[in-house]
Amino acid sequence: MRELTYVEATLEALDSAMARDPSIFVVGEGIGERGGNFNTTVGLYDKYGPERLCDTPISERGFVGMCAGAAMTGTRPVVDFMFLDFILDAFGELVNQIAKMQYMSSGRLKMPILLRGAIGIGHSAATHHSGSYYPIFAHIPGFRVVVPAIPSDAKGLFATALQSDDPVLFLEHKSLLFNRGDVPEGDYAIPFGQARMAREGSDCTVVAIGSMVDKSVAVCDKLAEDGISAEVIDPRTIAPLDMATILESVSKTGRLLIVDETFQPCGVGAEIAAQVIDEGFDDLDAPIRRLNGAHVPTPYSPPLELAIVPETNDIEQSIRNLLAE
Amino acid sequence: MAQSEQLLSLYRQMLIIRYTEEQLARSHQMGLIHGACHTYVGEEAIATGVCAHLRPDDAVFSTHRGHGHALAKGVSPREVVAELFGRATGCSQGRGGSMHLFKPEVGMMGTSGIVGPCILQATGAGYSFKLLKTDQVGVAFFGDGAVNNGAFHEGLNLASIWKLPTLFVCENNMYATEVPFAYSAGNPHVGNRGPAYGMESLTVDGNDVLAVYEAAEEAVRRARGGEGPTLIECRTYRTRAHAEGMRDGGYRTPEEVEEWKARDPITRYNEWLLKNEEAGTETLAEIEAEVKEMVADAEEFARNSPWPEADTVSEHVFNQG
Ligand SMILES: Cc1ncc(C[n+]2csc(CCOP(=O)(O)OP(=O)(O)O)c2C)c(N)n1
Ligand SMILES: [Mg+2]
């Protein structure tokens, strides 16, 4: 199979959908001729022109609200934020309008809007360019929240996002964007709410999200040399969340660790843990453990930045601790 | 009109910004700066001309392109360079980098990674100073790109209805990253928008430090005197890429860049000082040598400074008393 980067994989899905569906258009800063700060739209401007690759002023609230209106009236906007942090200026439009519109209109209006942006900590981007925020969106009824970890998933999930009539947040960790991986040719769609088994094992279950997936798999491969058999599950979408796969794994292993770069309080790990306690309490042989990024704004200086992100040695230690419980 | 001593201090201030940033650009190439670095090269006259009228207790709110604002407001080159190097001795103790330069002790209320908020925060400073009945002023520096943000509309209107002591200084360098203002703004002028908000406004040559100085003098006088806010559009140009390490082609022509380099605010002012016999070549050369020395010292200081301790990372999330 040929290899693509994560970004190239989503670009392929976007290009293919835009070729088929003239109602899809993209808005964002620098997504026209420039092809996107993260190369998310390279080449599309030449193919589809300035109305469908629409370079915007720095008007986040403006163009998000505008895209809500567009989605309610027959088109399918893709909003490309470059850094997801900039979405926060449009929070009212998102939470009060976009997430609630289908409900408020008793299902007579659709909200096919795709909101994408780069997330995550790294490269001293500091606190206005490092946010992930997906637990916030997962908390709100009405959003689909997608956090792909590998290029082939990025393509298939992006295709699903482009077909969705619900608002989708498609969140791409900066450290993954230029990773290469096998990506099938042609169109395919991966349904939301289906986790991927990233690594099979029997001693413990590691649920890892986004940039933590590859890191966790690498750690578990290494632990295998010590006879430890860890299973790694990548939920791929946070909302909906594939609890069935997680529960099934926990029923086999009896131990659960959730590894997530975002904040621990009220986070994805808390939700998964609560649901496992509700549905799989008797399967547990040890307390559920969580490994998260520190609960602080993101600092700039490399030694500080390093201190707040779960690294491979932290993951390894957490797994060893969990197995010793 | 500025006095002789003041005239030389404007020259010196512009050089501090220029030399510091040329050093930052070199350090960035050497990998000593880990995050983004947006330089202000070509735009120095604006921060210099405005901040010349500010006291340490006046509050400046800045942008992602804020090294010049910080330096002109009184943050030392040592503290700026060390911050971009991520060191504990930086003005934000290594927590911030280029886009989060803070030194409230001298009224530097922060550069910002988000476009827009500085306009609202400077409005809020104006509200404080009005409420507290002081004669302090709040100043927002922002780019042409921010003019298209809702914060501009809301901030200007709030400052206008309450006659707040605030200066809105738009640094119109014609592009937001690679997007021309002529494309992104239905009205390509900023300096004529004041009347739409019931506010004084004007446009000045942002590469002419004396023009900026005079416009800011009047605006600060009005603000301190309770006569309300002013919007000043400064026409200027950044002569380096949007950020260090970024491409700088495709969206503007080399001819345009050269044309603006020929209008370099520092060269122009140097010539003006000589022509008007406000200073001789020797005096100017002395200033240049002194500032070069200061910047070399700043770089050395930064390079030899300690990294922040990892176990301090959670400090200051909340008030520590
Ligand atoms: C709310 C927000 N949206 C987008 C960005 C990304 N961004 C950083 S700088 C910039 C261009 C700013 O242009 P302008 O205001 O003209 O300032 P200049 O860089 O020209 O000095 C953009 C779009 C941002 N930092 N904040
Ligand atoms: Mg600009």
Side-chain angles (χ1 to χ4, degrees):
Chain A
M1 209 184 289
R2 58 37 202 280
E3 286 197 339
L4 292 182
T5 67
Y6 188 103
V7 173
E8 287 164 350
T10 61
L11 181 57
E12 204 166 77
L14 180 59
D15 189 5
S16 165
M18 287 188 81
R20 273 194 317 271
D21 182 350
S23 73
I24 297 176
F25 69 100
V26 185
V27 305
E29 293 150 28
I31 57 83
E33 263 181 295
R34 189 176 156 214
N37 189 59
F38 293 113
N39 299 343
T40 46
T41 55
V42 170
L44 299 184
Y45 183 88
D46 290 339
K47 276 190 179 169
Y48 304 110
E51 284 190 349
R52 296 185 65 198
L53 274 300
C54 177
D55 254 322
T56 61
I58 308 172
S59 309
E60 279 79 8
R61 180 185 177 180
F63 59 73
V64 169
M66 182 192 92
C67 286
M72 289 157 71
T73 50
T75 50
R76 305 184 74 89
V78 176
V79 185
D80 187 332
F81 287 98
M82 87 181 109
F83 291 89
L84 187 79
D85 306 76
F86 309 148
I87 201 173
L88 300 177
D89 280 9
F91 206 61
E93 305 302 324
L94 287 158
V95 176
N96 263 330
Q97 307 301 329
I98 290 169
K100 298 175 181 173
M101 194 58 71
Q102 300 193 91
Y103 191 80
M104 292 193 295
S105 67
S106 315
R108 285 164 294 172
L109 291 172
K110 294 190 166 100
M111 192 47 76
I113 180 170
L114 198 170
L115 306 140
R116 77 183 304 188
I119 61 170
I121 298 168
H123 304 289
S124 288
T127 202
H128 285 164
H129 295 78
S130 300
S132 289
Y133 303 115
Y134 45 80
I136 298 178
F137 293 106
H139 183 69
I140 306 289
F143 288 126
R144 308 285 186 194
V145 183
V146 186
V147 191
I150 57 171
S152 56
D153 282 357
K155 179 176 170 182
L157 290 163
F158 203 73
T160 302
L162 285 161
Q163 290 160 18
S164 171
D165 284 334
D166 299 321
V168 178
L169 283 135
F170 191 91
L171 311 178
E172 309 154 271
H173 199 288
K174 290 194 284 291
S175 71
L176 303 176
L177 292 177
F178 301 101
N179 281 1
R180 305 187 75 80
D182 289 341
V183 177
E185 308 210 27
D187 292 334
Y188 63 95
I190 297 172
F192 294 164
Q194 280 187 14
R196 175 176 67 96
M197 187 64 71
R199 186 184 193 284
E200 288 194 54
S202 52
D203 295 337
C204 69
T205 303
V206 178
V207 174
I209 297 164
S211 62
M212 294 295 134
V213 177
D214 281 354
K215 273 189 192 175
S216 298
V217 169
V219 168
C220 295
D221 286 347
K222 186 177 155 228
L223 288 173
E225 291 164 18
D226 292 350
I228 295 171
S229 167
E231 185 145 291
V232 180
I233 294 173
D234 168 9
R236 303 199 284 200
T237 63
I238 302 300
L241 187 59
D242 179 4
M243 280 308 300
T245 299
I246 296 170
L247 283 162
E248 197 185 306
S249 174
V250 172
S251 76
K252 181 171 70 178
T253 64
R255 290 166 200 271
L256 175 61
L257 170 72
I258 303 129
V259 186
D260 180 13
E261 185 185 283
T262 66
F263 310 130
Q264 192 166 82
C266 306
V268 180
E271 177 59 28
I272 293 172
Q275 291 202 40
V276 169
I277 288 166
D278 279 352
E279 306 286 330
F281 188 75
D282 294 337
D283 293 327
L284 289 168
D285 299 325
I288 299 170
R289 295 300 179 195
R290 290 175 287 165
L291 178 63
N292 288 80
H295 194 213
V296 295
T298 308
Y300 168 83
S301 185
L304 297 180
E305 192 187 59
L306 201 63
I308 65 162
V309 181
E311 288 303 328
T312 44
N313 53 332
D314 303 316
I315 299 172
E316 178 178 337
Q317 198 53 54
S318 297
I319 293 173
R320 288 187 185 280
N321 291 347
L322 177 64
L323 291 172
E325 300 218 37
Chain B
M1 187 59 212
Q3 299 300 304
S4 279
E5 204 177 312
Q6 178 67 8
L7 289 173
L8 290 184
S9 117
L10 294 175
Y11 186 65
R12 182 169 176 274
Q13 184 58 63
M14 287 202 286
L15 283 180
I16 292 174
I17 301 171
R18 174 69 55 90
Y19 291 169
T20 301
E21 290 204 305
E22 286 176 345
Q23 179 58 56
L24 291 174
R26 284 192 297 275
S27 301
H28 190 273
Q29 279 155 16
M30 292 166 64
L32 286 162
I33 292 171
H34 306 89
C37 177
H38 306 87
T39 73
Y40 196 57
V41 174
E43 308 187 16
E44 296 90 344
I46 303 167
T48 300
V50 173
C51 293
H53 300 289
L54 302 182
R55 307 187 306 240
D57 65 347
D58 293 320
V60 161
F61 300 83
S62 159
T63 63
H64 57 287
R65 196 175 302 291
H67 309 151
H69 310 136
L71 291 163
K73 195 63 176 54
V75 185
S76 71
R78 279 186 166 203
E79 292 166 295
V80 170
V81 180
E83 186 55 35
L84 274 91
F85 280 24
R87 306 306 168 103
T89 52
C91 61
S92 306
Q93 297 166 6
R95 285 180 156 65
S98 170
M99 287 191 278
H100 308 273
L101 302 174
F102 284 83
K103 191 163 184 189
E105 299 86 343
V106 297
M108 183 60 206
M109 312 304 279
T111 57
S112 172
I114 303 294
V115 169
C118 60
I119 298 176
L120 303 172
Q121 291 165 10
T123 304
Y127 201 95
S128 271
F129 302 151
K130 190 176 176 202
L131 189 67
L132 298 170
K133 298 189 169 46
T134 72
D135 69 346
Q136 289 155 278
V137 300
V139 179
F141 290 99
F142 51 94
D144 47 287
V147 172
N148 296 322
N149 193 272
F152 177 85
H153 172 68
E154 298 185 30
L156 265 68
N157 187 55
L158 296 175
S160 174
I161 62 174
W162 297 316
K163 271 197 177 311
L164 302 179
T166 305
L167 266 64
F168 299 101
V169 182
C170 175
E171 302 174 325
N172 182 355
N173 61 12
M174 298 165 49
Y175 298 91
T177 314
E178 300 189 2
V179 181
F181 192 58
Y183 162 83
S184 64
N187 170 1
H189 304 285
V190 180
N192 68 3
R193 295 193 194 191
Y197 295 96
M199 180 185 302
E200 291 293 323
S201 68
L202 71 164
T203 303
V204 299
D205 178 348
N207 284 26
D208 177 349
V209 70
L210 293 176
V212 176
Y213 182 88
E214 277 161 28
E217 182 168 38
E218 172 63 8
V220 170
R221 186 196 62 72
R222 294 183 60 254
R224 295 207 199 283
E227 291 173 50
T230 307
L231 167 64
I232 306 175
E233 175 189 9
C234 302
R235 293 278 175 92
T236 188
Y237 201 82
R238 69 172 154 72
T239 50
R240 296 184 70 87
H242 172 73
E244 289 310 294
M246 260 175 87
R247 72 160 197 181
D248 193 30
Y251 68 101
R252 60 183 194 178
T253 61
E255 292 76 32
E256 186 181 282
V257 178
E258 287 313 312
E259 210 179 285
W260 279 91
K261 277 186 179 165
R263 289 188 236 170
D264 180 76
I266 297 178
T267 313
R268 266 171 76 183
Y269 189 52
N270 176 300
E271 286 163 5
W272 185 92
L273 288 169
L274 293 173
K275 192 168 136 245
N276 290 277
E277 295 180 7
E278 292 290 351
T281 40
E282 250 173 55
T283 311
L284 298 184
E286 272 167 30
I287 297 176
E288 286 155 26
E290 181 240 330
V291 174
K292 274 205 175 111
E293 180 61 33
M294 174 194 273
V295 171
D297 163 76
E299 194 277 342
E300 195 184 316
F301 169 81
R303 205 166 10 90
N304 295 323
S305 286
W307 296 100
E309 296 291 338
D311 62 10
T312 65
V313 76
S314 296
E315 287 175 8
H316 308 301
V317 177
F318 296 104
N319 185 301
Q320 295 179 317

